Amino acid sequence: MSHLPSRCDLVLKNVLLPSGRTADVSVHRGRVCHTGSPISADISIECRGRLAIPAGVDMHVHMRGWSQSAKEDWNTGSLSAIAGGVTVVVDQPNTIPPLDAPGSYRERVQDGLVHSNCSFAVNGGVSPKADLEGLWNAGAMSFGEIFAAPSSYGQALDSDLLARALSRIGAMGALATIHAEEVAPGPDCSLTDHDRLRPERGEAAMVREVERMACPAGAELHFCHLSCPESVKAVTSGSVEVAPHHLLLSRDTFSPQDTWGKVNPPLREEKTRRGLLSCWDRIDVIASDHAPHTRGEKADDFDRAPSGIPGVETMIPLLMAEVKRGACDLGSLITKVSQTPSRLLGIKDAGFSPGDRADFILFEGEISAVNAERLHSRAQWTPYEGMRALFPAVVVMEGEVVYRDCEFFPGHPRWYPGRGYISSMPKTLGADSSLP
Ligand code: DOR
C-alpha cells in the first residue's frame, strides 16, 4: 500500500465490475491505482447499481474530414465514439487526399490533435506510390485497410503490388490490415446484386491468397470486417475482425433497393449472419467500420450510392443488449472490443488492475431503442433504428469523466503513434513517445 497516492483524482464508488464484484475504483493520473476500498479523492462518483466495463478501442473507423466534412469530421466522429463508449479509435487512410505520404499523414494527425475529443491512432495508406517507410516513421499505427478489391475511396492493389507492399510492411515489423474481397462486373441495383457481385467465396479466396503472399514476406496480418463463416475459417495466421452490421443485420432485414444496407463487404443472407455469430469464439476483434455518408448521398440510385454504414456509437450499446439477452457473454465481448485491439496495437489495456488505463464505461441498466436523432455522427442516420441497445450513462477517458448523462466534458485525448514513430513534433502537440 505504501506506493499508493494519499489522494487520487477520481473514485468510482461501489461500482459493479465485470467479475460480479462490487468495489471502489481509484484513479490517479489516468491510471487505476487501486480497486477495493476507496482512497480519498478530488472527485467521487457514487456508482451503486452501475456496471463498469473497460471502454472500447475501435480499430476501424473512417473519420472523414477535409473535403468530406459533410459526412463527418474529427469533432463529430469522436463525440459519436465517446457517446458509444469508445475512447480510442483507429482512423483509416482512404481520406481525400489519401494518407499515403508523410505530409498528408502529419496533417491528418495534426487535425486530430486539434479536433478529436477521443484518443486516436491513424493508419498509413497503401497505394502504388505510397511511401510506406516514411509513413511508418511519421507514426502510422498499422497499414491499411489495404484494398485487395475496390471500395469507397479505396483503389484496389493488384496482386504484384500487394505482395510487394506486404513484403515492405513485413520488413518494418508492422501490422497489415486487409480488406479482402473479389468483385465481379455487372449491374449493381440491389442488395442481392451487391451480395452476388462481392461474393462470400471471393472474400474467402482473397483471404487465402493474401495469406499465401504474406507467408514469405513475414507480414503480420489482420483481416478487416470478414462477413461470412467461410472467410473466418480461411484465416490461419492473422487476426479476425468482424463488424457489428455483419453480426446483427442481414440483407433480408432491408427492402432490396435500400441503400442504408449497402456496404462493402455486403450484408449477407440471414443464414450467413447466423453462421457468422456462431463463429463468435474465433472472432478476435469487433470493430465498427464506421463509414458515414450523408443522407443525400445515400438517397441516390442504388448503383451510385456510396457503400458504408455509420456505427461507432452503436457498436457497444447494441452488443451490450445482446449480452443482456444472453446471446453472448460479457467477458468475451470486452476481450473483442477492448483488450485484443489494445494488444494488437500496443496500447495499454483499459481495466481495473493497478496500472491499467483508466478508460471505462458505466451502464445503468436501461435498455432503449436506437434513435438516429440521439446519435452524434454528422451522418444523422442509422440502419439500426429501433433496435435494442444499452447506451453508456458515464464514460471515463484517461481518468476523466468525458461523458455523463448525455453531456460531454473536455478530456485529454492522446495520439497513439505506431512503433516506427520517430518524433519530429514537440511534445506539446500531444505526441507522447513514451507510450503506451
Ligand atoms: O462500405 C465500405 N465503406 N467499405 C469500405 O471498406 C470503405 C468504407 C468507406 O470508406 O466508406
Side-chain angles (χ1 to χ4, degrees):
M1 291 290 279
S2 57
H3 58 284
L4 287 179
S6 54
R7 194 172 176 81
C8 66
D9 296 332
L10 172 72
V11 171
L12 305 176
K13 289 184 73 74
N14 298 306
V15 76
L16 176 62
L17 301 177
S19 62
R21 172 185 171 211
T22 295
D24 295 337
V25 179
S26 302
V27 171
H28 197 55
R29 295 190 176 148
R31 299 282 179 261
V32 171
C33 54
H34 187 62
T35 295
S37 48
I39 299 176
S40 63
D42 293 345
I43 301 171
S44 177
I45 302 179
E46 177 53 55
C47 299
R48 191 168 291 283
R50 286 179 169 180
L51 169 70
I53 68 168
V57 174
D58 190 338
M59 278 184 74
H60 197 126
V61 301
H62 300 266
M63 287 297 180
R64 313 292 194 204
W66 294 335
S67 63
Q68 296 185 307
S69 295
K71 299 173 192 274
E72 194 78 286
D73 61 19
W74 274 116
N75 180 41
T76 52
S78 61
L79 291 177
S80 193
I82 287 175
V86 169
T87 53
V88 184
V89 295
V90 181
D91 185 41
Q92 300 297 305
N94 60 333
T95 46
I96 301 176
L99 309 182
D100 59 359
S104 56
Y105 182 88
R106 286 199 189 94
E107 258 184 67
R108 183 72 181 165
V109 170
Q110 182 59 39
D111 205 18
L113 288 167
V114 176
H115 297 293
S116 181
N117 302 287
C118 69
S119 295
F120 66 96
V122 180
N123 275 358
V126 182
S127 64
K129 62 175 179 51
D131 176 1
L132 300 181
E133 293 73 15
L135 288 163
W136 185 231
N137 294 343
M141 172 51 84
S142 46
F143 286 92
E145 54 181 297
I146 301 171
F147 290 99
S151 189
S152 321
Y153 319 110
Q155 229 187 318
L157 293 187
D158 64 31
S159 22
D160 256 16
L161 283 169
L162 186 52
R164 267 188 279 147
L166 289 175
S167 154
R168 284 163 70 188
I169 294 168
M172 291 184 281
L175 180 67
T177 72
I178 312 290
H179 179 129
E181 276 196 281
E182 281 178 351
V183 186
D188 190 2
C189 298
S190 68
L191 291 170
T192 321
D193 288 346
H194 202 59
D195 184 9
R196 192 183 58 248
L197 296 174
R198 294 171 165 266
E200 295 170 28
R201 65 173 181 285
E203 185 184 271
M206 188 54 80
V207 165
R208 289 186 203 100
E209 164 103 17
V210 170
E211 285 211 335
R212 264 195 304 275
M213 285 177 195
C215 191
E220 198 188 334
L221 296 177
H222 174 80
F223 289 97
C224 304
H225 45 50
L226 294 179
S227 65
C228 60
E230 191 182 343
S231 309
V232 171
K233 288 173 189 157
V235 177
T236 59
S237 56
S239 42
V240 170
E241 175 192 295
V242 166
H245 42 268
H246 294 123
L247 287 171
L248 299 172
L249 304 174
S250 65
R251 65 176 160 83
D252 310 337
T253 326
F254 297 86
S255 61
Q257 268 84 36
D258 192 335
T259 57
W260 285 10
K262 186 179 179 191
V263 63
N264 301 330
L267 297 182
R268 307 300 185 184
E269 57 184 354
E270 180 58 19
K271 192 166 95 207
T272 309
R273 181 192 77 82
R274 286 176 198 268
L276 188 65
L277 256 185
S278 71
C279 297
W280 182 259
D281 291 340
R282 179 63 192 90
I283 297 169
D284 299 300
V285 170
I286 300 178
S288 69
D289 190 13
H290 178 72
H293 299 286
T294 66
R295 296 173 74 104
E297 289 166 325
K298 280 288 198 181
D300 209 340
D301 291 343
F302 191 92
D303 57 341
R304 286 207 302 267
S307 295
I309 286 176
V312 69
E313 187 165 350
T314 43
M315 174 173 72
I316 292 177
L318 287 162
L319 292 168
M320 281 300 293
E322 292 296 293
V323 169
K324 285 275 172 195
R325 84 178 175 88
C328 54
D329 72 287
L330 182 62
S332 64
L333 177 62
I334 293 169
T335 307
K336 294 176 203 311
V337 298
S338 183
Q339 288 165 344
T340 304
S342 290
R343 283 168 201 171
L344 284 171
L345 301 172
I347 294 173
K348 187 169 264 310
D349 264 357
F352 303 99
S353 301
D356 282 352
R357 181 163 50 88
D359 285 26
F360 312 119
I361 315 172
L362 296 175
F363 295 100
E364 224 148 48
E366 284 292 306
I367 297 276
S368 61
V370 174
N371 173 350
E373 284 175 21
R374 297 213 199 110
L375 302 177
H376 300 84
S377 166
R378 189 165 286 141
Q380 290 187 317
W381 62 273
T382 173
Y384 301 107
E385 189 71 35
M387 286 176 66
R388 288 160 44 89
L390 180 59
F391 283 95
V394 176
V395 178
V396 174
M397 181 176 75
E398 298 278 339
E400 293 178 298
V401 174
V402 288
Y403 180 79
R404 188 174 186 176
D405 301 329
C406 303
E407 205 182 330
F408 293 96
F409 301 93
H412 291 86
R414 290 170 181 245
W415 168 47
Y416 287 101
R419 289 190 311 273
Y421 180 55
I422 299 172
S423 174
S424 59
M425 295 195 195
K427 283 265 160 78
T428 49
L429 286 180
D432 180 352
S433 54
S434 65
L435 293 174

